[in-house]
Amino acid sequence: MPLLDHLWIVLALPLAGAGLCGLFGRRWSQTLVNSVAVGSVSLTFLAVLEVVREFTLGAPDHARSFFPWMMAGPFRVDFALQVDQLTVVMLLVVAGVGLLIHIYSTGYMAHEGGYYRFFSYMNLFMFFMLTLVLSANLVLLFVGWEGVGLCSYLLIGFFFRKKSAADAGKKAFIVTRIGDFGFTLGVLLAFRQFHSVDYHAIFSAASTMPVEGAGHYGVLTAICLLLFAGAVGKSAQLPLYVWLPDAMEGPTPVSALIHAATMVTAGVYMVARMNVLFVHAPLALMVVAVVGAVTALFAATIALVQTDIKKVLAYSTVSQLGYMFLACGVGAFSAGIFHLMTHAFFKGLLFLAAGSVIHAMGGEQDMRRMGGLRTKIPVTYWTMLAATLAIAGAPGFSGFFSKDEILFQSFAGPLANRALWAVGLAAALLTSFYMFRLLFLTFHGAPRYDEHQTHVHESPRSMLVPLVILAILATVGGWLAAPALWRGANHFDDYLDPVFASANAVLAMSQPLNLPAETHILEIELMALAVAIAFVGFLVAWWFYLRNPRTPERLASNLHAPYELLLHKYYVDEIYAFLIVRPLLWISTNLLWHVVDTRVIDGTVNGVAHGARGAGGRLRQIQSGNARSYAAWVVFGAVLFTGLLMGLLRMVR
């Protein structure tokens, strides 16, 4: 039985795990919960491997409709799943990294309450994320899109008795709904334009339409901008990024799975999936590139001064997502997906290693109260060092290849923009600095905690094995592009070429490249510049936090205003609270609650009730118990009825 013809099995396995753990897990032991939750994801990963094997050996672009799902007049949506090269990459990332994080969670969450509930939510997230990736139409993608948002709300607020966690869950849910409103309008507008929500029908029709040039923006630009609004919310870009840093209130495995490796990359995947539409709307692509570049630099500046280890990684995630959108915006879709994959490796590893540090420190997350951990938790240190080198773009590590390709395409690609390239390069400098700052503050120098009260210990094997596997992937995960360094093939780009071939052809015709004859030398030069920039970031961090550790304090004192601005994250949350949250709360409390709800709605209902009670009180007086009174009322009623009947008879005649 070819699994390609039964793709629903890939979705059914984690859904079954979520249902079983949610319904019966309360009465189960942790071992049984682990067996069901981790076992279902393990089977899912094996099923994904089989799907990839069959797809590699079979025909490309395999799509299968299983049954009609929604039908209303001309509107028809099938429950249809598909597999192509882009799907293969996403399936391996989601299922592979998801499995490692599930294994890690069995150690990290072992002493937390609601154990079965946590794994039920995690399995449910896997189901919705895989639905999003495998969908063959926009409506099914929207189901997965909203489903991962629901799971994000549940997992961020997992410690719901903690007010900050509950508030963070609500904030994530509300902020992402703002973007999802635009996404919904984009789906509806796409159906209105193409009379279908099926990918194949949309792309076939869009490929025959002209590119919407300057001054001639039309429906394709509107569709792309509306869809991108959803991506801005889901992937935490300006101005809707504010939910992701607060989402660190959830357990660390949640941060690794949802807010580093998978869910937040859904917006990048969607833009890449809709590449045919976006290349026909250059304005939308420019918006994607500008938002991505500005977000990458903006978030990187905030990460410079954060002291919570998870908050640093949260803003780093926002920044790296900006890199991915920058790649898509300059037409380098495969580079964006390449960075999505390598980011899943090194950022998932960074969050899990941070969780290992927090576990070793008894729950401490402030880097100012760490230091000297390198020899006490060596496995955590070496794996986190590998991830730091990868995200900083050290030669040979995964991030080196993917970040280099993004910067090169920004400088010399089909839609190259030197200003955006400069912004990306500046973000790379800051990335190297704040990541080595994190490493030095956490693992190097003298201990800044009470060694008598804090008994630092290495994490259990269930947490360390995923760290080691991700460290290997973070190190070698980019080598698919390595042959390009010596004029060979970029195997990752070549693999994804069938997905982006149509878009690349449009870009080549509308924006012909104007590059020096020897582009390979240019790429090597830009690569060397990026490595030099990253090395400068490393040297500055080394000088500040190892060589002269008092320098940051003096600098913060001398540059008090800029330091406070970054420390308070540009006061964006406070501005939103003043301009949006408080006015809405005032309107909700004083107008909608006290006036509309209490006076109008409750007043109307209560008024009807009072009127009915008053009428009933008067009618009750008729029940006097006097037989002659009853007889009189009967006669009165009979006369009245007779009169009405005679009147009706006259009208009929």
Side-chain angles (χ1 to χ4, degrees), residues 184-196:
T184 305
L185 294 179
V187 174
L188 294 174
L189 186 57
F191 174 75
R192 181 180 181 276
Q193 174 66 25
F194 301 109
H195 308 292
S196 175

Side-chain angles (χ1 to χ4, degrees), residues 101-102 105 118-126 155 254 257:
I101 295 174
H102 272 74
S105 300
F118 174 83
F119 278 100
S120 177
Y121 295 163
M122 292 281 277
N123 276 194
L124 187 63
F125 168 81
M126 292 291 291
L155 286 166
V254 173
L257 178 64

Side-chain angles (χ1 to χ4, degrees), residues 114 117-118 120-122 124-125 128 146-160 165-166 168-170 172-173 177 247 249-251 254 258-259 263:
R117 182 166 52 90
F118 174 83
S120 177
Y121 295 163
M122 292 281 277
L124 187 63
F125 168 81
F128 280 121
E146 292 299 307
V148 294
L150 168 65
C151 294
S152 177
Y153 164 75
L154 295 173
L155 286 166
I156 293 170
F158 178 76
F159 300 119
F160 57 86
K170 290 184 287 186
F173 192 80
R177 294 289 77 71
E249 291 289 343
V254 173
I258 294 184
H259 307 120
M263 189 199 87

Side-chain angles (χ1 to χ4, degrees), residues 75 80 128 164 184 214 240 278 303 336 407 446 454 459 468 471 511 574 621:
F75 182 74
F128 280 121
S164 58
T184 305
L240 301 180
F278 276 89
L407 291 174
T454 304
S459 299
V468 173
Q511 300 286 340
E574 290 79 1
Q621 296 175 0

Side-chain angles (χ1 to χ4, degrees), residues 299-578:
T301 59
I302 298 176
L304 295 175
V305 299
Q306 299 303 307
T307 56
D308 185 313
I309 188 171
K310 288 178 66 176
K311 284 292 180 70
V312 174
L313 297 178
Y315 283 105
S316 173
T317 297
V318 176
S319 181
Q320 295 302 307
L321 289 167
Y323 262 107
M324 299 175 207
F325 281 114
L326 171 61
C328 293
V330 297
F333 296 104
S334 61
I337 297 300
F338 191 24
H339 198 58
L340 182 155
M341 181 187 75
T342 60
H343 178 265
F345 299 152
F346 60 69
K347 186 53 67 64
L349 174 56
L350 284 169
F351 270 111
L352 295 187
S356 183
V357 171
I358 296 168
H359 177 81
M361 294 291 296
E364 181 61 65
Q365 295 184 199
D366 193 332
M367 296 184 297
R368 295 171 298 181
R369 298 173 185 169
M370 297 180 186
L373 299 178
R374 179 169 56 90
T375 57
K376 299 193 175 185
I377 46 175
V379 177
T380 300
Y381 169 72
W382 287 108
T383 55
M384 197 163 201
L385 176 61
T388 301
L389 291 170
I391 191 175
F397 289 82
S398 60
F400 165 76
F401 297 101
S402 58
K403 189 174 291 187
D404 164 68
E405 189 171 356
I406 292 174
L407 291 174
F408 174 70
Q409 294 293 337
S410 301
F411 186 89
L415 301 177
N417 186 301
R418 303 294 169 84
L420 296 181
W421 167 79
V423 172
L425 196 64
L429 170 65
L430 300 183
T431 299
S432 178
F433 173 80
Y434 68 66
M435 284 309 307
F436 281 106
R437 169 182 177 265
L438 180 150
L439 191 77
F440 294 150
L441 283 175
T442 303
F443 293 98
H444 291 264
R448 296 182 297 277
Y449 56 91
D450 189 337
E451 297 185 67
H452 298 290
Q453 293 185 358
T454 304
H455 302 287
V456 179
H457 56 284
E458 189 64 277
S459 299
R461 186 175 299 177
S462 60
M463 295 171 64
L464 295 181
V465 170
L467 291 184
V468 173
I469 295 174
L470 284 173
I472 295 171
L473 292 172
T475 302
V476 305
W479 289 3
L480 289 169
L485 293 178
W486 47 86
R487 299 177 183 273
N490 184 327
H491 296 299
F492 191 86
D493 282 1
D494 291 345
Y495 183 73
L496 288 180
D497 185 65
V499 179
F500 302 126
S502 176
N504 291 336
V506 173
L507 292 173
M509 290 187 296
S510 60
Q511 300 286 340
L513 295 178
N514 184 20
L515 297 177
E518 191 52 80
T519 58
H520 183 69
I521 295 177
L522 175 63
E523 182 171 9
I524 296 298
E525 292 173 346
L526 293 174
M527 185 184 301
L529 177 60
V531 171
I533 286 290
F535 187 66
V536 170
F538 161 77
L539 286 179
V540 175
W542 173 80
W543 181 267
F544 278 17
Y545 296 99
L546 291 185
R547 181 67 173 156
N548 292 284
R550 293 189 179 277
T551 302
E553 295 180 12
R554 291 198 299 267
L555 194 61
S557 177
N558 294 333
L559 300 174
H560 180 71
Y563 176 78
E564 287 294 317
L565 184 66
L566 295 180
L567 187 63
H568 291 88
K569 300 158 286 189
Y570 295 99
Y571 298 95
V572 172
D573 283 296
E574 290 79 1
I575 293 171
Y576 283 176
F578 178 77

